Amino acid sequence: MTKLITGKTKLLGVIGYPVEHSLSPVMHNAALAQLVVRGSVSEREDIAHLGLDYVYLPFPIAPENLKIAIAGFAAIGIVGFNVTIPHKQAIIPLLSEITPIAQAIGAVNTVSRQNNQWVGTNTDIEGFIAPLQTTYQQDWSQKVAVILGNGGAARAVVAGCHQLGFAKIYVLGRNEQKLQAFCDSWSNPAIEENLQVGTWDELAKLIPQADLLVNTTPIGMYPKVDESPLSAAEIAQLPQGAIAYDLIYIPKPTQFLQLAEKQGAIVIDGLEMLVQQGVAALKIWLQQEIPVEVMRQALQNHLGLGR
Ligand code: NAP
């Protein structure tokens, strides 16, 4: 059903540059339409009274226009917005407050207007840990996580593993300087304590210890769908009961997850993380129960994944 935009409709959105490939408008507008059109006309009016009449738009904002755009957002009363590449760090000095989670990661992906001030947080951690918590309830305190890649998403994964209580978190990358900078960049000493970084040469030693193996590199992402960060022989070294988690959601599953599944590993793809980080953002803005399945379904349909 088409969403009716009225004089009362409020605005949410996502900033990035470019932003046209963002999947956030698809899933957020599906949820917002569901909240507004649910029920009869009179119920719709009630919903409008409750203030659930929103649309979610993409805003392409070049880096040099970021400051003026955020000031403009305040002037036109935008309720909140998501932040994607290249603004996730650059937005920080423009905000009045940053949550400890966003501070730990050093990046903001969700901003809300509270008491006339911009407050930034990061819902990627919540997105990352949601499928681990809901599907594989377990005590992580004796477990080892091995993370491939040391970019932006790896930061949320490290913070998420720390939050779950992993005994050891290893991050493997290809550039020693970047790895050292990654290791030194945590303001939370408790994270640093459990974190070790190393180069890909350490894979052979670490894979047999990995209870959770996470790919945060773009290797295997569409269109290079035949690539995998690890060979079948390397993946075969995973211990029994290990979880292989790929942040990539196109293709679904990736070559990495297909190989891991063949070896008997439990596999998780990146789609649920994408859905759950969006759900967490919408909860912050609307303070409402969010129709998660509607968001998941909207993304799957958009990506041609069916059910
Ligand atoms: P990023 O900041 O660019 O980091 C990518 C990391 O992968 C870097 O450490 C990079 O190494 C490494 N890498 C890239 N190509 C490599 C190669 N050929 N061999 C070895 N290492 C390589 O990107 P990001 O934002 O972290 O995103 C990474 C992936 O996660 C993307 O596929 C993205 O779509 C996905 N993601 C998914 C979600 C979700 O909700 N599911 C959320 C965020 C990201 P160097 O540092 O040495 O260049």
Side-chain angles (χ1 to χ4, degrees):
M1 194 179 291
T2 315
K3 162 119 181 49
L4 182 67
I5 294 178
T6 70
K8 291 178 188 161
T9 305
K10 287 178 255 175
L11 199 50
L12 298 167
V14 53
I15 64 167
Y17 199 72
V19 79
E20 59 259 35
H21 300 298
S22 170
L23 296 171
S24 295
V26 170
M27 64 173 167
H28 284 300
N29 283 315
L32 294 169
Q34 168 83 8
L35 286 167
V36 173
V37 302
R38 210 189 261 158
S40 65
V41 172
S42 62
E43 279 171 331
R44 268 188 241 170
E45 281 169 3
D46 286 346
I47 285 164
H49 283 308
L50 282 174
L52 289 178
D53 186 2
Y54 290 85
V55 285
Y56 183 104
L57 294 178
F59 296 104
I61 295 172
E64 62 273 23
N65 293 330
L66 184 61
K67 193 173 176 185
I68 196 165
I70 302 310
F73 278 7
I76 62 171
I78 284 194
V79 175
F81 56 95
N82 285 127
V83 184
T84 188
I85 292 166
H87 302 312
K88 283 184 164 192
Q89 280 98 31
I91 188 92
I92 292 175
L94 305 176
L95 306 174
S96 305
E97 199 185 317
I98 310 279
T99 60
I101 273 178
Q103 237 152 21
I105 302 179
V108 161
N109 81 334
T110 302
V111 176
S112 58
R113 193 82 179 146
Q114 296 176 22
N115 302 322
N116 278 330
Q117 297 199 312
W118 292 123
V119 178
T121 190
N122 197 308
T123 63
D124 279 337
I125 296 185
E126 225 170 310
F128 168 70
I129 66 178
L132 288 169
Q133 281 180 315
T134 51
T135 324
Y136 312 104
Q137 286 278 347
Q138 52 179 297
D139 174 13
W140 305 96
S141 64
Q142 307 297 317
K143 306 286 183 192
V144 172
V146 176
I147 299 163
L148 309 173
N150 52 278
R155 300 190 67 80
V157 171
V158 167
C161 288
H162 171 73
Q163 197 165 308
L164 290 173
F166 272 83
K168 243 346 136 221
I169 304 169
Y170 293 98
V171 170
L172 300 182
R174 59 182 173 180
N175 179 313
E176 284 190 46
Q177 257 178 328
K178 283 189 187 174
L179 276 169
Q180 199 49 51
F182 184 94
C183 194
D184 296 340
S185 64
W186 299 90
S187 51
N188 181 347
I191 294 184
E192 268 180 19
E193 222 169 85
N194 290 359
L195 176 66
Q196 252 175 267
V197 299
T199 56
W200 290 72
D201 310 339
E202 297 189 38
L203 263 175
K205 182 185 83 194
L206 291 176
I207 292 179
Q209 302 174 37
D211 299 294
L212 173 68
L213 177 63
V214 189
N215 176 36
T216 79
T217 77
I219 303 169
M221 188 162 77
Y222 180 85
K224 296 183 175 171
V225 298
D226 293 330
E227 293 184 0
S228 166
L230 302 182
S231 67
E234 285 170 322
I235 292 173
Q237 299 306 310
L238 273 174
Q240 245 204 334
I243 300 171
Y245 193 149
D246 201 333
L247 298 204
I248 295 170
Y249 44 83
I250 312 173
K252 175 179 154 63
T254 54
Q255 179 72 4
F256 166 61
L257 290 189
Q258 289 179 44
L259 292 171
E261 196 161 30
K262 268 190 206 148
Q263 295 299 332
I266 298 162
V267 299
I268 304 177
D269 63 61
L271 196 75
E272 195 58 16
M273 174 174 174
L274 184 66
V275 171
Q276 295 293 345
Q277 61 78 31
V279 169
L282 216 42
K283 258 190 203 155
I284 292 171
W285 298 322
L286 305 189
Q287 302 285 311
Q288 280 283 320
E289 229 13 75
I290 305 301
V292 182
E293 185 52 30
V294 169
M295 295 173 79
R296 192 180 288 125
Q297 204 55 58
L299 270 185
Q300 290 191 334
N301 290 345
H302 183 76
L303 296 172
L305 297 169
R307 264 197 90 79

